[in-house]
Amino acid sequence: MKLFEFQGKKIFEEYGIPVPKSCLLLSPDSECRLSFPIVLKAQVLTGGRGKAGGVVAVDKNINLSAELKSILNLKIKERTAAAVLAEEKANIQHEFYLSITYRGDIATPVLIASSAGGVDIEEVASITPEKVLTIPFNPLLGPLSHQVAYLAKAIGCSDGIALKSIIGKLYAIMRDYDAKLVEINPLASTPDGLCALDAKILLDDKAAYRQEKRFSNIIDELNNNQLPVEDFDIQKKGTITYVPLKGSVGLISDGAGTGMLTLDLIKDAGSEAANFCEMGGITSPQVIYDAMEAVVANPKVKSLLIVLIGGFNRMDEMAEGIIKFIREHNMSLPVVIRMCGTMEEVGLEMMRKASIPTYDNLDEAVLKAVALAGGGS
Ligand code: GDP
Ligand code: MN
């Protein structure tokens, strides 16, 4: 789950990372009691706001409400801002990039930093990768003094002590929140010292089960401000993995292998999946019900293909969940189901009684789902 900048900054503040004085404005008429000049920042879950006109510095004599209106109407990478964060404008001397994330290939957390922070960091990383420094560190010890000293020198940050303190706090946030990424870009040096002008925190949805309090606080805060909770509900539901794709067939499978195979078959049939939901090993009627809810919620889905090869997974339970979902939602979307394996006879009998057709043959089921989605070769 991605946090909005204002949420990230709130966490930064709690941990003592310097951030500008700010207030969240939810509508063009919201009042703002900061001292001008201020910077208005679109709260939208994507980067590149600066370049898209979503970060605007304004002075006292502007029409704040008109400015807010235009930021709230702005399209930034297909998204519109849910709110605007107003901040007292910092006097930037230099912009650094600083983040902590995990690198799976070397199985350690890494500190990433650059002296060329700011809105062009992506270009910097691809055109002049030597300007981006990556320092792996021991997850149990955290970034060590000599690593931070080396980093400060390499990026030309003269305030090594403040940098060390910020890095320590970033890593504390990363651990406490089970974050996958904690990023400050830019980390600005100002006459008052280092200051985080942007905040990006990506939480690991798979850790939601042990972060229930934090996740629910974050979601409550969004709900209270009538802000969207994007792409999260489904991930919260335990073993389900949800992958959004580009096509028109919604796919649910009871394991990753079956899912990958079926994705290939859909492609062979000349179509493409709209999304893909894999339920993990151990399932229940509720899990398939949740998976259907997640997949069907995507308006791109024109037919739903459910492929179950029951090992641990029981077909009577799957049938129970599927029938319940279809009945409760009075579902008109075409569904193609292939089920076999554990408790197959009972499951198939339940489906027959519910007048929901099933398929024995996987290839046939795939072709049918592709045809119903209006695709195919
Ligand atoms: P992003 O483009 O979505 O990453 O948005 P940022 O919050 O990083 O802002 C983009 C750019 O706006 C920064 O790199 C700064 O150059 C500029 N900016 C943001 N806040 C301030 C500020 O308080 N003062 C000044 N002078 N510039 C700012
Ligand atoms: Mn930024």
Side-chain angles (χ1 to χ4, degrees), residues 189-202:
S189 77
T190 75
D192 303 323
L194 291 174
C195 183
L197 291 195
D198 194 2
K200 184 165 165 187
I201 297 181
L202 186 59

Side-chain angles (χ1 to χ4, degrees), residues 149-182:
Y150 170 76
L151 179 138
K153 187 150 190 265
I155 65 172
C157 176
S158 55
D159 198 349
I161 292 172
L163 186 67
K164 180 161 193 277
S165 142
I166 291 174
I167 289 174
K169 288 162 182 166
L170 273 190
Y171 189 48
I173 294 172
M174 177 109 176
R175 271 190 332 234
D176 291 354
Y177 277 80
D178 274 313
K180 296 207 276 193
L181 169 74
V182 189

Side-chain angles (χ1 to χ4, degrees), residues 27-320:
S27 83
D29 312 316
S30 307
E31 209 184 327
C32 171
R33 294 212 188 115
L34 300 171
S35 28
F36 284 79
I38 58 172
V39 179
L40 301 175
K41 309 179 80 177
Q43 295 304 286
V44 53
L45 293 176
T46 171
R49 297 169 307 165
K51 288 192 166 172
V55 179
V56 185
V58 296
D59 222 325
K60 219 200 224 64
N61 45 13
I62 57 119
N63 179 343
L64 185 63
S65 140
E67 200 62 54
L68 288 175
K69 215 178 260 170
S70 86
I71 295 180
L72 288 167
N73 284 328
L74 207 63
K75 270 245 176 314
I76 303 176
K77 294 191 185 157
E78 304 292 310
R79 293 171 191 251
T80 46
V84 173
L85 183 68
E87 289 187 331
E88 293 188 356
K89 186 175 170 190
N91 188 355
I92 302 179
Q93 293 161 327
H94 190 84
E95 298 190 16
F96 298 102
Y97 173 93
L98 180 66
S99 69
I100 300 183
T101 186
Y102 285 107
R103 280 254 312 259
D105 57 343
I106 49 176
T108 57
V110 287
L111 253 176
I112 303 176
S114 175
S115 72
V119 296
D120 290 321
I121 190 68
E122 276 87 8
E123 285 82 49
V124 171
S126 75
I127 299 166
T128 48
E130 67 280 4
K131 288 194 182 159
V132 180
L133 195 70
T134 302
I135 303 180
F137 62 87
N138 183 316
L140 299 177
L141 303 177
L144 298 174
S145 295
H146 71 273
Q147 293 175 308
V148 175
Y150 170 76
L151 179 138
K153 187 150 190 265
I155 65 172
C157 176
S158 55
D159 198 349
I161 292 172
L163 186 67
K164 180 161 193 277
S165 142
I166 291 174
I167 289 174
K169 288 162 182 166
L170 273 190
Y171 189 48
I173 294 172
M174 177 109 176
R175 271 190 332 234
D176 291 354
Y177 277 80
D178 274 313
K180 296 207 276 193
L181 169 74
V182 189
E183 180 190 272
I184 308 177
N185 182 37
L187 173 65
S189 77
T190 75
D192 303 323
L194 291 174
C195 183
L197 291 195
D198 194 2
K200 184 165 165 187
I201 297 181
L202 186 59
L203 300 180
D204 187 349
D205 295 345
K206 291 273 194 302
Y209 74 96
R210 61 178 190 189
Q211 292 285 0
E212 219 161 292
K213 187 106 194 81
R214 288 202 169 93
F215 271 86
S216 65
N217 286 344
I218 287 164
I219 289 169
D220 285 350
E221 184 182 29
L222 292 173
N223 288 335
N224 291 342
N225 288 319
Q226 297 185 352
L227 293 170
V229 181
E230 294 185 34
D231 281 348
F232 177 66
D233 279 355
I234 181 56
Q235 302 286 6
K236 208 172 133 199
K237 289 177 179 158
T239 58
I240 293 177
T241 303
Y242 178 86
V243 185
L245 297 166
K246 295 200 168 96
S248 54
V249 180
L251 172 62
I252 296 173
S253 73
D254 50 1
T258 322
M260 302 292 249
L261 164 71
T262 313
L263 285 176
D264 283 348
L265 292 175
I266 293 173
K267 208 148 202 162
D268 287 349
S271 187
E272 205 151 338
N275 50 20
F276 163 45
C277 206
E278 179 256 304
M279 295 183 282
I282 297 165
T283 57
S284 66
Q286 189 60 45
V287 173
I288 180 98
Y289 183 97
D290 291 343
M292 289 174 79
E293 194 165 50
V295 169
V296 165
N298 180 339
K300 284 193 297 192
V301 171
K302 299 289 179 265
S303 73
L304 171 60
L305 174 60
I306 301 178
V307 178
L308 304 168
I309 302 181
F312 293 124
N313 188 9
R314 295 168 46 152
M315 292 309 120
D316 54 337
E317 293 186 346
M318 294 298 96
E320 184 186 328

Side-chain angles (χ1 to χ4, degrees), residues 360-372:
D360 272 345
N361 183 304
L362 179 58
D363 294 301
E364 260 174 47
V366 169
L367 289 175
K368 183 75 185 171
V370 165
L372 286 168

